[in-house]
């Protein structure tokens, strides 16, 4: 179909009236390419330069070359290394939690029942909220002493007297962040996996049944293998986004207590816009970008490869 | 569980299999609905708490045990949040910025997608270059963009982009483009080109064929792409926090300002503004629910 359009197009284009019409394919694509070049590629190149000079906002217009000093400053800062670990841990943990809950929920919601439709709508609502607001919800809900979470836990008869400081005590800060992130992003896993589950053809289950497979066997030998490619897509997309975690940190723990819950994004934000260490901030941003690109490509290669086969 | 579901859906009157299985009592169903109920509670309780906090009088906010429903609900927090905490300004800016971004991203993105789908412009590489923009961490570009906006834009362009709606719209458009392009690319590719060919035969120019034939036909795709672009710009926080401190302040930034500039307790105001900001996003979310899966995976999974 596409080739036919193209040949038709060429014949037509030879007779095209204006030069605008003759080069329309380029005119149409140019704005998108130009605006991306102007606002991501150019700033990235600019920031590469900033990361090799001393760029202090207040002092002067002189920007002496400092070589790798800015990069070294990051690695000498234990908080930077800590933030990379926190990013890896939080991203992995929340993605695993979201995958597990999302998968179970997709299984539970697969079969139609009365009220399924409105429930579906409710379940996906968090996807349309601002993460900074979701962090705010949980701040309101968990913060001791007036958030109701501790009170709720105390209502469970055999719990005894609990008083957990969800936003200040290790490991509760991490758990709170994962809960907030899972609250927002479990629906992401859920809708994608549900689409995957519904797309598995009935005939395959019939064939398995005829071959004498028990439901458990069908699940492990039909459902799981067929669902795998979609699970991997969902994991890839979700992990890449989870590694950028910033908003929920900002509104729930503010990186605290101390610098315990600094993610890399939060650290770089602090460097750039609280301390105005712009050189160090851009150097860190570049390293973060490289890490993330390498991991993304690895994930896309490794995980999405089975799809093309 | 899935297997069982499939089988029952296929044969609604599956008397035989139910007889084999026993009677109406199925432990699976109890587990299933318990799980759904627990998840629903997890979802709704924090939402409810924020909603009820926004209508509580000041005295009910910081008490133990917590007040689950105030004796006399009040709208005073909405009033304060909107009138004295940048609420109206944020609301207005967010609306203007999100709609402008939507229009711009749609115009630019659809054109590019059309060019790629119908003329194969740039081939596979260009398509993946657009896609790779989706992976870009915002924090990697925010410092240089801040520097360019605040320091160099007035030097080079003659006007400053810092703390302006234009500056934010341009940046949001760039970040909305990857999914706009990919969604529309997928849409145009599955749309048969015969109608446009007919228009060309009838003497339309290429551009008219796009403008008068392809665009109207792509309306359903355009609507869902538009909703995604709107929701993205409506909920974005990091860029706005850095680039729009005062004049162009958006709703999420105004909200974070209430929480951060803590004097006494402003839980009520923060919750009120939260509720206000949820409305349009939820409305649009419900509208695009059908295209959700495709939008979230940029067309990789068909919903």
């Amino acid at each position: 179909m596409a080739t036919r359009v193209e040949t038709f197009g060429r014949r037509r284009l030879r007779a095209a009236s204006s030069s605008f019409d003759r080069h329309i394919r380029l005119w149409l694509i140019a704005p998108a390419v130009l605006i991306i070049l102007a606002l991501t590629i150019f700033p990235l190149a600019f920031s590469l330069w900033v990361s090799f000079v001393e760029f202090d906002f207040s002092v002067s217009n002189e920007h002496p070359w400092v070589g790798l000093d800015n990069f070294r400053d990051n690695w000498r800062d234990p908080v930077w290394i800590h933030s990379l670990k926190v990013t890896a841990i939080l991203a992995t943990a929340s993605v695993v939690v979201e995958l597990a809950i999302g998968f179970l929920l997709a299984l539970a919601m697969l079969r139609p029942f009365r009220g399924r439709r409105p429930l579906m709508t409710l379940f996906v609502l968090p996807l349309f909220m601002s993460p900074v607001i979701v962090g705010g919800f949980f701040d309101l809900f968990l913060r001791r002493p007036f958030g109701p979470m501790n009170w709720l836990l105390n209502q469970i008869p055999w719990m005894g007297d609990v008083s957990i400081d969800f936003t200040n005590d290790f490991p509760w800060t991490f758990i709170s962040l994962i809960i907030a992130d899972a609250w927002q992003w479990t629906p992401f896993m859920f809708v994608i996996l549900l689409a995957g589950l519904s797309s598995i053809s009935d005939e395959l289950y019939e064939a398995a049944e005829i071959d004498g497979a028990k439901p458990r066997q069908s699940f492990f030998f039909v459902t799981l293998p067929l669902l795998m490619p979609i699970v991997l897509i969902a994991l890839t997309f979700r992990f890449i986004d989870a590694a950028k975690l910033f908003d929920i940190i900002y509104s729930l723990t503010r990186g605290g207590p101390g610098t315990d819950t600094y993610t890399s994004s939060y650290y770089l934000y602090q460097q750039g816009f609280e301390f105005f260490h712009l050189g160090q901030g851009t150097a860190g941003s570049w390293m973060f970008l490289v890490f993330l690109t390498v991991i993304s490509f690895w994930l896309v290669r490794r995980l999405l490869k089975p799809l093309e086969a | 569980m899935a297997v069982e579901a499939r089988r029952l859906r296929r044969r609604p009157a599956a008397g035989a299999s139910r007889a084999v299985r026993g009677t109406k009592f199925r432990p699976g169903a109890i587990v299933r609905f318990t799980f759904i109920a627990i998840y629903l509670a997890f979802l709704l309780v924090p939402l409810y708490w924020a909603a009820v906090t926004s209508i509580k009088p000041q005295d009910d906010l910081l008490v133990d045990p917590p007040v689950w429903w105030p004796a006399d609900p009040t709208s005073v927090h909405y009033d304060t949040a909107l009138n004295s905490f940048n609420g109206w300004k944020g609301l207005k800016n967010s609306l203007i910025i999100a709609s402008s971004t939507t229009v711009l991203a749609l115009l630019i993105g659809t054109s590019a997608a059309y060019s790629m789908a119908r003329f194969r412009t740039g081939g596979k590489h260009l398509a993946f270059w657009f896609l790779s923009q989706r992976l870009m961490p915002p924090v990697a570009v925010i410092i240089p963009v801040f520097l360019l906006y605040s320091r160099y834009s007035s030097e080079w362009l003659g006007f400053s982009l810092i703390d302006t709606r234009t500056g934010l719209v341009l940046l949001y458009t760039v970040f909305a483009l990857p999914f706009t392009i990919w969604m529309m690319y997928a849409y145009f590719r599955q749309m048969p080109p015969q109608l446009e060919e007919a228009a060309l035969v009838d003497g339309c120019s290429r551009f008219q064929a796009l403008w008068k034939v392809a665009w109207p036909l792509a309306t359903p795709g355009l609507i869902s792409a538009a909703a995604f672009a709107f929701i993205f710009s409506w909920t974005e926080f990091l860029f706005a926090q850095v680039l729009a401190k005062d004049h162009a302040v958006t709703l999420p930034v105004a909200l974070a300002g209430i929480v951060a500039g803590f004097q006494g307790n402003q839980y009520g105001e923060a919750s009120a503004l939260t509720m206000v900001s949820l409305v349009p996003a939820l409305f649009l979310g419900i509208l695009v629910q059908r295209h959700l899966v495709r939008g979230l995976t940029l067309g990789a999974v068909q919903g």
Side-chain angles (χ1 to χ4, degrees), chain A:
Chain A
M1 217 181 269
T3 44
R4 198 179 146 205
V5 184
E6 209 165 351
T7 50
F8 183 86
R10 256 185 223 132
R11 185 148 45 88
R12 172 73 206 172
L13 286 179
R14 226 174 288 141
S17 45
S18 64
S19 85
F20 175 75
D21 224 40
R22 228 171 295 138
H23 300 292
I24 190 145
R25 48 185 289 183
L26 298 178
W27 285 110
L28 287 178
I29 204 136
V33 173
L34 287 180
I35 193 173
I36 290 179
L37 284 177
L39 280 170
T40 60
I41 307 301
F42 176 67
L44 279 179
F46 176 73
S47 83
L48 192 62
W49 172 71
V50 174
S51 63
F52 283 102
V53 300
E54 194 181 309
F55 201 107
D56 195 328
F57 226 14
S58 50
V59 182
S60 70
N61 263 326
E62 306 276 300
H63 304 301
W65 185 265
V66 293
L68 291 170
D69 281 11
N70 287 319
F71 293 88
R72 199 195 52 204
D73 287 348
N74 275 314
W75 291 109
R76 283 198 179 153
D77 187 350
V79 182
W80 165 245
I81 295 164
H82 177 72
S83 82
L84 288 172
K85 287 183 201 154
V86 171
T87 307
I89 292 169
L90 277 180
T92 314
S94 41
V95 171
V96 168
V97 169
E98 286 152 23
L99 178 66
I101 304 178
F103 183 56
L104 290 177
L105 196 63
L107 283 179
M109 292 287 287
L110 183 64
R111 181 164 33 171
F113 57 87
R114 194 171 303 168
R116 183 172 175 274
R117 233 161 210 290
L119 266 186
M120 284 290 294
T121 310
L122 270 180
F123 283 170
V124 299
L125 287 188
L127 291 174
F128 303 109
M129 297 178 187
S130 180
V132 77
I133 286 175
V134 173
F137 278 171
F138 278 89
D139 184 50
L140 201 62
F141 193 71
L142 297 174
R143 187 173 291 280
R144 200 169 64 171
F146 298 112
M149 190 62 201
N150 275 312
W151 182 86
L152 280 176
L153 287 176
N154 279 320
Q155 303 311 302
I156 303 173
W158 61 90
M159 279 294 271
D161 202 18
V162 281
S163 175
I164 298 168
D165 201 343
F166 285 99
T167 49
N168 272 316
D169 280 351
F170 182 83
W172 294 105
T173 42
F174 283 81
I175 293 175
S176 309
L177 287 169
I178 293 170
I179 291 176
D181 198 66
W183 189 87
Q184 177 155 43
W185 295 110
T186 298
F188 177 90
M189 293 290 186
F190 161 66
V191 287
I192 294 176
L193 295 181
L194 187 63
L197 283 174
S198 332
S199 72
I200 298 175
S201 147
D202 284 349
E203 279 100 68
L204 290 165
Y205 290 112
E206 274 169 39
E209 207 178 350
I210 290 166
D211 288 347
K214 294 188 173 67
R216 187 185 299 269
Q217 286 171 315
S218 299
F219 178 75
F220 280 106
F221 295 108
V222 179
T223 312
L224 278 189
L226 284 173
L227 198 60
M228 227 19 160
I230 285 169
V231 171
L232 295 178
I233 292 180
L235 270 179
T236 307
F237 274 101
R238 189 59 212 116
F239 185 84
I240 290 168
D241 280 349
K244 303 170 190 165
L245 186 68
F246 171 81
D247 308 39
I248 289 179
I249 306 275
Y250 189 94
S251 56
L252 186 51
T253 67
R254 301 218 142 221
T259 55
D260 261 19
T261 53
Y262 269 48
T263 56
S264 301
S265 289
Y266 195 76
Y267 173 85
L268 295 169
Y269 171 83
Q270 291 284 325
Q271 284 297 328
F273 300 106
E274 294 288 325
F275 310 130
F276 281 94
H277 294 162
L278 297 168
Q280 198 185 329
T282 50
S285 303
W286 257 97
M287 291 191 281
F288 185 56
L289 178 67
V290 171
F291 292 151
L292 215 57
T293 311
V294 170
I295 294 172
S296 307
F297 270 82
W298 184 83
L299 280 174
V300 171
R301 271 269 177 95
R302 271 295 160 87
L303 298 183
L304 300 189
K305 205 172 219 172
L307 292 183
E308 286 157 18

